[in-house]
Amino acid sequence: MPNTSGPDFSPDGSKLAIPYMLNDGRIGCATVNADGTGYTPFPINDPTLNTGCGTGSWSPDGRRLALETWDDSNPARNGVYTISSADGSGLTRITSNPLGGHDVPGSYSPDGKKIVFIRYDANGNPAGLFVVKINNGQLRQLLPASVDLNMGVQSDWSPQGNEIIVSLHVTPDVSGSIWVVHADGSGLHQIHISGLDCGASRSDPNGVGCHGVRWSPDGKKIIFAAGTAATGVNIYTANADGTGLAQVSFDGNDDDPAWGTHPLAH
């Protein structure tokens, strides 16, 4: 598909959700069948909203899509919204960003009742990792603004519902590394990837950064993007404890991975 990135499989594996660019330069949401047919860009029935979907958008029952929604002319409208995955109707606001920046949804909780998202201020600085209850908009902050979360969709709820995985910078001068926090905000700890020194200095052209991390459907593995300034970015998988590293792509120009509906065959 043209002008798109960050696809996400529907729970049954039959479709993908992807962002697309409208003729006026805004971002919308589309679906396409997993075999590449049936490309369906959803219209935006609003003259100034952007409604981007992608990795982590699908609700567990496949009926709704979580969106990073924003209005360049009125930042007070920015937040996480949802729409029907069938036709893009039923735009429903879930969060309101009070800082003038973006709320970037990561994924739904396995029971479909909550969404994890990263909040950014008007300058693009991370303002914390949050969970929101869909039925009433109640927020719970899991990580503070002092944690330097990577820009973009970088949070994912584990299939078991007990952990959330993120990519962050330990300090501003190093690249991304992979971390897990319990769903109640406790127990933040790094997953050290055996064979990749994630979180290297940004000044080192051969230093590795890791980001875009997601769980496998059974929660036993992770998939993520990693690379250096010298080699470009490729896709890797590993066991959830960081062992068993496997490289999936090799052309140095790959990003935003999403696992399908079935674990890797053994």
Side-chain angles (χ1 to χ4, degrees):
M1 298 297 112
N3 297 322
T4 191
S5 64
D8 189 38
F9 281 99
S10 62
D12 65 3
S14 65
K15 291 181 178 291
L16 297 167
I18 52 174
Y20 77 98
M21 184 175 290
L22 282 73
N23 291 334
D24 61 8
R26 290 182 297 146
I27 302 298
C29 181
T31 60
V32 62
N33 294 331
D35 64 3
T37 64
Y39 175 61
T40 305
F42 297 146
I44 306 175
N45 297 318
D46 184 290
T48 56
L49 274 185
N50 293 264
T51 57
C53 61
T55 309
S57 285
W58 292 91
S59 63
D61 62 9
R63 295 180 179 179
R64 303 290 292 178
L65 293 167
L67 309 175
E68 176 190 353
T69 302
W70 73 97
D71 186 335
D72 291 326
S73 64
N74 182 7
R77 303 181 73 193
N78 294 4
V80 175
Y81 292 61
T82 67
I83 57 172
S84 165
S85 63
D87 57 12
S89 63
L91 183 69
T92 302
R93 188 170 197 170
I94 307 299
T95 74
S96 177
N97 186 316
L99 306 177
H102 290 223
D103 285 350
V104 182
S107 66
Y108 281 81
S109 59
D111 62 9
K113 296 180 178 181
K114 300 174 183 177
I115 294 172
V116 60
F117 69 96
I118 299 174
R119 173 162 286 173
Y120 297 90
D121 66 20
N123 296 316
N125 299 310
L129 180 73
F130 293 81
V131 165
V132 59
K133 289 184 178 180
I134 295 172
N135 65 342
N136 61 12
Q138 180 180 343
L139 292 181
R140 180 187 180 100
Q141 187 165 358
L142 302 187
L143 297 177
S146 59
V147 175
D148 190 1
L149 296 156
N150 280 5
M151 185 62 186
V153 182
Q154 306 289 344
S155 57
D156 190 30
W157 216 305
S158 69
Q160 292 79 11
N162 61 329
E163 292 184 318
I164 292 167
I165 198 164
V166 295
S167 174
L168 58 85
H169 305 280
V170 176
T171 58
D173 59 337
V174 300
S175 298
S177 50
I178 297 172
W179 294 70
V180 166
V181 62
H182 299 321
D184 64 1
S186 66
L188 180 66
H189 63 280
Q190 185 175 359
I191 297 178
H192 295 278
I193 306 298
S194 300
L196 282 178
D197 187 18
C198 301
S201 170
R202 290 185 175 184
S203 63
D204 181 359
N206 295 306
V208 177
C210 300
H211 63 276
V213 60
R214 318 293 300 185
W215 299 99
S216 65
D218 61 6
K220 295 180 179 180
K221 290 180 175 288
I222 57 174
I223 189 169
F224 59 96
T228 72
T231 64
V233 177
N234 291 301
I235 306 303
Y236 295 80
T237 64
N239 295 325
D241 63 0
T243 63
L245 180 69
Q247 188 168 348
V248 176
S249 70
F250 297 86
D251 64 12
N253 193 34
D254 301 312
D255 214 331
D256 298 322
W259 209 300
T261 56
H262 300 287
L264 288 174
H266 295 287

